[in-house]
Amino acid sequence: MPSAEPTQSRTSHPALGPGIAIYDDRGKTRLRLVVWIAMVPLGVFGIWLGWADLAAGSPLPGIAQALGGVILAGYSVRAAVTDARRLRIPIRLVIARDGFAIVPGTRTISWDEIEAIGDRRSPAGQPRTLRVQLRDPGGFERRHALSPLARLALRFNRGDLLLGGAMAMPVVTAENLMRTRLADFRRFGSASATAPVHPREPKKRRSGRTRYRT
């Protein structure tokens, strides 16, 4: 019988140090990509309905429908692009000695920015999504220069980061791994683990690209 696909591998992040690379669930990513692509025409249709209402002399419904269509289309395009990039990169999340990194992207998050890890909306031991509670959401928003959509999502989630559940590794396993790394950082790290500091910047390489070694 063929062996099961691996869910993780050891890696060394250029800014965060040695850690674990968790792979993406390719099947879920492909399905989600199809859904996001299908949502784009719905957003465009909403914009068209809004313009039609405006032309018919119904300004409030027209503006509401057009604005909703713009938000739906814009978010769907952004999410589809992100998932298309994920299909080219097998890694979904890097959990390392000094913090974690969400892939794709270059943003790194230090453990001293984290208050706790856990999905408070799920039964104990049965998390539906990987949720990270930030120590200082306002400071995090400023330090990382979040986009308007990212700021809106952070506020909607009450200052928590949702890392999702579309990983090859079960959410509860990834959650336990992150909790262990956070506890180790607080136990063995420097005194800065008790006070927010600026996250470390990735080291620049001559090629201009950040690579992970697995």
Side-chain angles (χ1 to χ4, degrees), residues 155-168:
R155 293 169 187 175
F156 179 79
N157 292 311
R158 299 181 180 180
D160 291 353
L161 288 178
L162 269 62
L163 307 185
M167 299 173 291

mmCIF file with all atom_site columns, all heavy atoms in Angstrom, residues 155-168:
data_model
loop_
_atom_site.group_PDB
_atom_site.id
_atom_site.type_symbol
_atom_site.label_atom_id
_atom_site.label_alt_id
_atom_site.label_comp_id
_atom_site.label_asym_id
_atom_site.label_entity_id
_atom_site.label_seq_id
_atom_site.pdbx_PDB_ins_code
_atom_site.Cartn_x
_atom_site.Cartn_y
_atom_site.Cartn_z
_atom_site.occupancy
_atom_site.B_iso_or_equiv
_atom_site.pdbx_formal_charge
_atom_site.auth_seq_id
_atom_site.auth_comp_id
_atom_site.auth_asym_id
_atom_site.auth_atom_id
_atom_site.pdbx_PDB_model_num
ATOM 1   N N   . ARG A 1 155 ? -10.473 43.339 12.921 1.00 0.00 ? 155 ARG A N   1
ATOM 2   C CA  . ARG A 1 155 ? -11.465 43.917 13.823 1.00 0.00 ? 155 ARG A CA  1
ATOM 3   C C   . ARG A 1 155 ? -12.715 43.057 13.894 1.00 0.00 ? 155 ARG A C   1
ATOM 4   O O   . ARG A 1 155 ? -13.320 42.918 14.965 1.00 0.00 ? 155 ARG A O   1
ATOM 5   C CB  . ARG A 1 155 ? -11.800 45.335 13.362 1.00 0.00 ? 155 ARG A CB  1
ATOM 6   C CG  . ARG A 1 155 ? -10.611 46.286 13.513 1.00 0.00 ? 155 ARG A CG  1
ATOM 7   C CD  . ARG A 1 155 ? -10.832 47.612 12.823 1.00 0.00 ? 155 ARG A CD  1
ATOM 8   N NE  . ARG A 1 155 ? -9.616  48.420 12.855 1.00 0.00 ? 155 ARG A NE  1
ATOM 9   C CZ  . ARG A 1 155 ? -9.481  49.581 12.247 1.00 0.00 ? 155 ARG A CZ  1
ATOM 10  N NH1 . ARG A 1 155 ? -10.496 50.092 11.557 1.00 0.00 ? 155 ARG A NH1 1
ATOM 11  N NH2 . ARG A 1 155 ? -8.338  50.248 12.318 1.00 0.00 ? 155 ARG A NH2 1
ATOM 12  N N   . PHE A 1 156 ? -13.119 42.487 12.776 1.00 0.00 ? 156 PHE A N   1
ATOM 13  C CA  . PHE A 1 156 ? -14.295 41.611 12.762 1.00 0.00 ? 156 PHE A CA  1
ATOM 14  C C   . PHE A 1 156 ? -14.057 40.388 13.656 1.00 0.00 ? 156 PHE A C   1
ATOM 15  O O   . PHE A 1 156 ? -14.991 39.893 14.308 1.00 0.00 ? 156 PHE A O   1
ATOM 16  C CB  . PHE A 1 156 ? -14.595 41.162 11.329 1.00 0.00 ? 156 PHE A CB  1
ATOM 17  C CG  . PHE A 1 156 ? -15.771 40.234 11.216 1.00 0.00 ? 156 PHE A CG  1
ATOM 18  C CD1 . PHE A 1 156 ? -17.063 40.730 11.251 1.00 0.00 ? 156 PHE A CD1 1
ATOM 19  C CD2 . PHE A 1 156 ? -15.573 38.876 11.074 1.00 0.00 ? 156 PHE A CD2 1
ATOM 20  C CE1 . PHE A 1 156 ? -18.156 39.863 11.146 1.00 0.00 ? 156 PHE A CE1 1
ATOM 21  C CE2 . PHE A 1 156 ? -16.658 38.005 10.966 1.00 0.00 ? 156 PHE A CE2 1
ATOM 22  C CZ  . PHE A 1 156 ? -17.950 38.502 11.004 1.00 0.00 ? 156 PHE A CZ  1
ATOM 23  N N   . ASN A 1 157 ? -12.822 39.907 13.693 1.00 0.00 ? 157 ASN A N   1
ATOM 24  C CA  . ASN A 1 157 ? -12.477 38.732 14.506 1.00 0.00 ? 157 ASN A CA  1
ATOM 25  C C   . ASN A 1 157 ? -12.007 39.107 15.905 1.00 0.00 ? 157 ASN A C   1
ATOM 26  O O   . ASN A 1 157 ? -11.391 38.286 16.592 1.00 0.00 ? 157 ASN A O   1
ATOM 27  C CB  . ASN A 1 157 ? -11.392 37.913 13.795 1.00 0.00 ? 157 ASN A CB  1
ATOM 28  C CG  . ASN A 1 157 ? -11.895 37.268 12.530 1.00 0.00 ? 157 ASN A CG  1
ATOM 29  O OD1 . ASN A 1 157 ? -12.940 36.632 12.510 1.00 0.00 ? 157 ASN A OD1 1
ATOM 30  N ND2 . ASN A 1 157 ? -11.148 37.426 11.443 1.00 0.00 ? 157 ASN A ND2 1
ATOM 31  N N   . ARG A 1 158 ? -12.300 40.347 16.326 1.00 0.00 ? 158 ARG A N   1
ATOM 32  C CA  . ARG A 1 158 ? -12.016 40.817 17.681 1.00 0.00 ? 158 ARG A CA  1
ATOM 33  C C   . ARG A 1 158 ? -10.534 40.704 18.041 1.00 0.00 ? 158 ARG A C   1
ATOM 34  O O   . ARG A 1 158 ? -10.175 40.266 19.130 1.00 0.00 ? 158 ARG A O   1
ATOM 35  C CB  . ARG A 1 158 ? -12.876 40.054 18.694 1.00 0.00 ? 158 ARG A CB  1
ATOM 36  C CG  . ARG A 1 158 ? -14.369 40.248 18.479 1.00 0.00 ? 158 ARG A CG  1
ATOM 37  C CD  . ARG A 1 158 ? -15.180 39.502 19.504 1.00 0.00 ? 158 ARG A CD  1
ATOM 38  N NE  . ARG A 1 158 ? -16.615 39.689 19.284 1.00 0.00 ? 158 ARG A NE  1
ATOM 39  C CZ  . ARG A 1 158 ? -17.563 39.137 20.047 1.00 0.00 ? 158 ARG A CZ  1
ATOM 40  N NH1 . ARG A 1 158 ? -17.224 38.360 21.064 1.00 0.00 ? 158 ARG A NH1 1
ATOM 41  N NH2 . ARG A 1 158 ? -18.838 39.358 19.775 1.00 0.00 ? 158 ARG A NH2 1
ATOM 42  N N   . GLY A 1 159 ? -9.702  41.092 17.107 1.00 0.00 ? 159 GLY A N   1
ATOM 43  C CA  . GLY A 1 159 ? -8.273  41.119 17.369 1.00 0.00 ? 159 GLY A CA  1
ATOM 44  C C   . GLY A 1 159 ? -7.577  39.785 17.263 1.00 0.00 ? 159 GLY A C   1
ATOM 45  O O   . GLY A 1 159 ? -6.423  39.659 17.702 1.00 0.00 ? 159 GLY A O   1
ATOM 46  N N   . ASP A 1 160 ? -8.228  38.795 16.683 1.00 0.00 ? 160 ASP A N   1
ATOM 47  C CA  . ASP A 1 160 ? -7.614  37.480 16.502 1.00 0.00 ? 160 ASP A CA  1
ATOM 48  C C   . ASP A 1 160 ? -7.204  37.278 15.049 1.00 0.00 ? 160 ASP A C   1
ATOM 49  O O   . ASP A 1 160 ? -7.853  37.792 14.130 1.00 0.00 ? 160 ASP A O   1
ATOM 50  C CB  . ASP A 1 160 ? -8.590  36.356 16.875 1.00 0.00 ? 160 ASP A CB  1
ATOM 51  C CG  . ASP A 1 160 ? -8.867  36.305 18.370 1.00 0.00 ? 160 ASP A CG  1
ATOM 52  O OD1 . ASP A 1 160 ? -8.206  37.052 19.121 1.00 0.00 ? 160 ASP A OD1 1
ATOM 53  O OD2 . ASP A 1 160 ? -9.746  35.535 18.781 1.00 0.00 ? 160 ASP A OD2 1
ATOM 54  N N   . LEU A 1 161 ? -6.125  36.514 14.858 1.00 0.00 ? 161 LEU A N   1
ATOM 55  C CA  . LEU A 1 161 ? -5.720  36.102 13.521 1.00 0.00 ? 161 LEU A CA  1
ATOM 56  C C   . LEU A 1 161 ? -6.282  34.717 13.260 1.00 0.00 ? 161 LEU A C   1
ATOM 57  O O   . LEU A 1 161 ? -6.091  33.802 14.062 1.00 0.00 ? 161 LEU A O   1
ATOM 58  C CB  . LEU A 1 161 ? -4.193  36.057 13.405 1.00 0.00 ? 161 LEU A CB  1
ATOM 59  C CG  . LEU A 1 161 ? -3.431  37.379 13.368 1.00 0.00 ? 161 LEU A CG  1
ATOM 60  C CD1 . LEU A 1 161 ? -1.939  37.088 13.303 1.00 0.00 ? 161 LEU A CD1 1
ATOM 61  C CD2 . LEU A 1 161 ? -3.864  38.221 12.185 1.00 0.00 ? 161 LEU A CD2 1
ATOM 62  N N   . LEU A 1 162 ? -6.974  34.549 12.146 1.00 0.00 ? 162 LEU A N   1
ATOM 63  C CA  . LEU A 1 162 ? -7.480  33.245 11.739 1.00 0.00 ? 162 LEU A CA  1
ATOM 64  C C   . LEU A 1 162 ? -6.558  32.684 10.673 1.00 0.00 ? 162 LEU A C   1
ATOM 65  O O   . LEU A 1 162 ? -6.482  33.210 9.567  1.00 0.00 ? 162 LEU A O   1
ATOM 66  C CB  . LEU A 1 162 ? -8.917  33.346 11.218 1.00 0.00 ? 162 LEU A CB  1
ATOM 67  C CG  . LEU A 1 162 ? -10.017 33.149 12.270 1.00 0.00 ? 162 LEU A CG  1
ATOM 68  C CD1 . LEU A 1 162 ? -9.935  34.234 13.339 1.00 0.00 ? 162 LEU A CD1 1
ATOM 69  C CD2 . LEU A 1 162 ? -11.389 33.150 11.629 1.00 0.00 ? 162 LEU A CD2 1
ATOM 70  N N   . LEU A 1 163 ? -5.833  31.626 11.031 1.00 0.00 ? 163 LEU A N   1
ATOM 71  C CA  . LEU A 1 163 ? -4.892  31.015 10.097 1.00 0.00 ? 163 LEU A CA  1
ATOM 72  C C   . LEU A 1 163 ? -5.538  29.926 9.269  1.00 0.00 ? 163 LEU A C   1
ATOM 73  O O   . LEU A 1 163 ? -4.882  29.317 8.427  1.00 0.00 ? 163 LEU A O   1
ATOM 74  C CB  . LEU A 1 163 ? -3.688  30.448 10.859 1.00 0.00 ? 163 LEU A CB  1
ATOM 75  C CG  . LEU A 1 163 ? -2.979  31.437 11.794 1.00 0.00 ? 163 LEU A CG  1
ATOM 76  C CD1 . LEU A 1 163 ? -1.734  30.784 12.384 1.00 0.00 ? 163 LEU A CD1 1
ATOM 77  C CD2 . LEU A 1 163 ? -2.627  32.723 11.083 1.00 0.00 ? 163 LEU A CD2 1
ATOM 78  N N   . GLY A 1 164 ? -6.818  29.654 9.509  1.00 0.00 ? 164 GLY A N   1
ATOM 79  C CA  . GLY A 1 164 ? -7.554  28.707 8.686  1.00 0.00 ? 164 GLY A CA  1
ATOM 80  C C   . GLY A 1 164 ? -7.399  27.272 9.123  1.00 0.00 ? 164 GLY A C   1
ATOM 81  O O   . GLY A 1 164 ? -6.768  26.942 10.124 1.00 0.00 ? 164 GLY A O   1
ATOM 82  N N   . GLY A 1 165 ? -7.998  26.389 8.327  1.00 0.00 ? 165 GLY A N   1
ATOM 83  C CA  . GLY A 1 165 ? -7.934  24.967 8.628  1.00 0.00 ? 165 GLY A CA  1
ATOM 84  C C   . GLY A 1 165 ? -7.593  24.127 7.420  1.00 0.00 ? 165 GLY A C   1
ATOM 85  O O   . GLY A 1 165 ? -7.610  22.901 7.507  1.00 0.00 ? 165 GLY A O   1
ATOM 86  N N   . ALA A 1 166 ? -7.288  24.766 6.283  1.00 0.00 ? 166 ALA A N   1
ATOM 87  C CA  . ALA A 1 166 ? -7.004  24.024 5.048  1.00 0.00 ? 166 ALA A CA  1
ATOM 88  C C   . ALA A 1 166 ? -5.543  23.591 5.001  1.00 0.00 ? 166 ALA A C   1
ATOM 89  O O   . ALA A 1 166 ? -4.805  23.919 4.082  1.00 0.00 ? 166 ALA A O   1
ATOM 90  C CB  . ALA A 1 166 ? -7.360  24.860 3.828  1.00 0.00 ? 166 ALA A CB  1
ATOM 91  N N   . MET A 1 167 ? -5.134  22.841 6.033  1.00 0.00 ? 167 MET A N   1
ATOM 92  C CA  . MET A 1 167 ? -3.767  22.337 6.097  1.00 0.00 ? 167 MET A CA  1
ATOM 93  C C   . MET A 1 167 ? -3.791  20.820 6.032  1.00 0.00 ? 167 MET A C   1
ATOM 94  O O   . MET A 1 167 ? -4.781  20.186 6.399  1.00 0.00 ? 167 MET A O   1
ATOM 95  C CB  . MET A 1 167 ? -3.098  22.775 7.403  1.00 0.00 ? 167 MET A CB  1
ATOM 96  C CG  . MET A 1 167 ? -2.988  24.278 7.559  1.00 0.00 ? 167 MET A CG  1
ATOM 97  S SD  . MET A 1 167 ? -2.370  24.744 9.198  1.00 0.00 ? 167 MET A SD  1
ATOM 98  C CE  . MET A 1 167 ? -3.771  24.281 10.213 1.00 0.00 ? 167 MET A CE  1
ATOM 99  N N   . ALA A 1 168 ? -2.694  20.243 5.573  1.00 0.00 ? 168 ALA A N   1
ATOM 100 C CA  . ALA A 1 168 ? -2.606  18.786 5.539  1.00 0.00 ? 168 ALA A CA  1
ATOM 101 C C   . ALA A 1 168 ? -2.590  18.207 6.945  1.00 0.00 ? 168 ALA A C   1
ATOM 102 O O   . ALA A 1 168 ? -3.005  17.070 7.171  1.00 0.00 ? 168 ALA A O   1
ATOM 103 C CB  . ALA A 1 168 ? -1.363  18.357 4.765  1.00 0.00 ? 168 ALA A CB  1
#
